[in-house]
Amino acid sequence: MFSIGIVFTILFISLGSILLRGKGIRMLSVYNMLPKSRKATIYKEALCQFMGKIFFGFAFGSMLWIIGGAINSSTVIVLGLIIIAFLAIASTIYVLTTNHFNSNK
């Protein structure tokens, strides 16, 4: 569990850094799920920056895996999984149901 947590933490921090710079829109499944008509109206840089922050939250959740494995606490590991699941579901719903990233405001 320890090595998996390290790999995921590094992955999430790397992807979060790329997205915070406004790059990597094609890596986001939430963007790829949108219809073409909606993709044309999305402010891509703001969406990337938002998702970059979410990926740093994922990194925090995976760091909890590392801590939970180090102290042998399944509660901390489950808390990390809950944080990651909540962020994934909440961010997807937020992006798909709001006009916050609409470039035609």
Side-chain angles (χ1 to χ4, degrees), residues 5-98:
I6 291 174
V7 169
F8 277 113
T9 301
I10 292 170
L11 178 70
F12 290 143
I13 289 173
S14 299
L15 291 174
S17 298
I18 291 169
L19 290 170
L20 270 179
R21 286 183 272 156
K23 308 290 183 195
I25 189 73
R26 297 282 179 209
M27 292 188 299
L28 299 177
S29 63
V30 70
Y31 176 77
N32 293 327
M33 289 174 21
L34 295 172
K36 288 185 180 185
S37 60
R38 179 86 195 274
K39 284 183 186 179
T41 64
I42 294 293
Y43 184 49
K44 295 171 184 70
E45 188 173 323
L47 177 61
C48 281
Q49 290 174 352
F50 171 75
M51 292 306 294
K53 294 172 187 172
I54 296 297
F55 271 85
F56 283 120
F58 290 166
F60 174 73
S62 63
M63 279 192 276
L64 288 178
W65 292 353
I66 297 169
I67 294 168
I71 64 173
N72 218 7
S73 172
S74 61
T75 305
V76 177
I77 295 171
V78 170
L79 180 63
L81 289 172
I82 290 171
I83 288 172
I84 290 173
F86 173 77
L87 285 173
I89 293 167
S91 63
T92 302
I93 291 171
Y94 181 74
V95 170
L96 293 177
T97 60
T98 66

